[in-house]
Amino acid sequence: MVIVLSVRRLFCHNQACQRRTFAEQIPGLTIRYGRRTPLLRSLLEKLAVALAGRAGARLAGQLQAMTSRSTMLRLLMALPDPHAATPRVLGVDDFALRRGQVYGIVLVDCQTSKPVELLAGREAQPLADWRRRTPAWR
């Protein structure tokens, strides 16, 4: 789809201003320096979250929104991290990165089975320090 849009171009006559011209923006349709509408960007971000690189670019092409795998990954990396809820049940276990040499502690949310934190060492002190640093577990 091609949208033919006429907008006003505004000029700044102040000599101290670095910008000479300004283009009018249409809310929800245009953004400054944007090559995509906010709606298309939102669609591509959702594809990037679901499929990421090549697969996301392939599906976007099928939807007539041509983009590259690099763009899909860039859109994905630009998104903020989702808010992680404080786990109600916390599991603690130790693991070995290299047996007999390097150990760590993994903290797991027992309800979702997702890792919460990785701590260095396998003694109790790193866990006690983490509990003091983390407001929800004081």
Side-chain angles (χ1 to χ4, degrees):
M1 174 188 305
V2 176
I3 299 173
V4 179
L5 181 66
S6 296
V7 295
R8 291 182 293 180
R9 183 163 297 278
L10 309 168
F11 297 92
C12 182
H13 298 293
N14 183 358
Q15 297 297 325
C17 184
Q18 293 180 353
R19 300 196 51 94
R20 297 285 179 220
T21 63
F22 300 89
E24 181 180 32
Q25 300 298 316
I26 311 300
L29 185 61
T30 61
I31 56 174
R32 286 179 40 173
Y33 306 109
R35 298 185 62 86
R36 296 181 180 91
T37 65
L39 186 62
L40 178 59
R41 182 181 175 96
S42 172
L43 173 74
L44 291 176
E45 285 173 348
K46 289 175 182 161
L47 285 175
V49 168
L51 300 172
R54 280 194 179 108
R58 201 174 309 121
L59 182 57
Q62 293 296 317
L63 297 172
Q64 301 302 313
M66 302 301 283
T67 189
S68 69
R69 62 189 168 99
S70 300
T71 300
M72 296 300 282
L73 293 175
R74 192 169 31 258
L75 286 170
L76 182 62
M77 296 302 290
L79 291 174
D81 290 335
H83 176 69
T86 303
R88 292 179 55 203
V89 180
L90 188 68
V92 179
D93 197 6
D94 64 338
F95 66 96
L97 289 170
R98 293 186 67 188
R99 192 180 332 164
Q101 296 180 15
V102 182
Y103 291 95
I105 298 172
V106 62
L107 306 176
V108 179
D109 182 353
C110 290
Q111 292 176 323
T112 62
S113 300
K114 295 189 178 190
V116 175
E117 187 80 41
L118 295 174
L119 306 173
R122 68 193 267 195
E123 293 78 33
Q125 192 58 43
L127 181 59
D129 293 341
W130 179 83
R131 287 191 60 201
R132 274 196 286 295
R133 282 192 321 262
T134 309
W137 294 97
R138 287 185 186 160

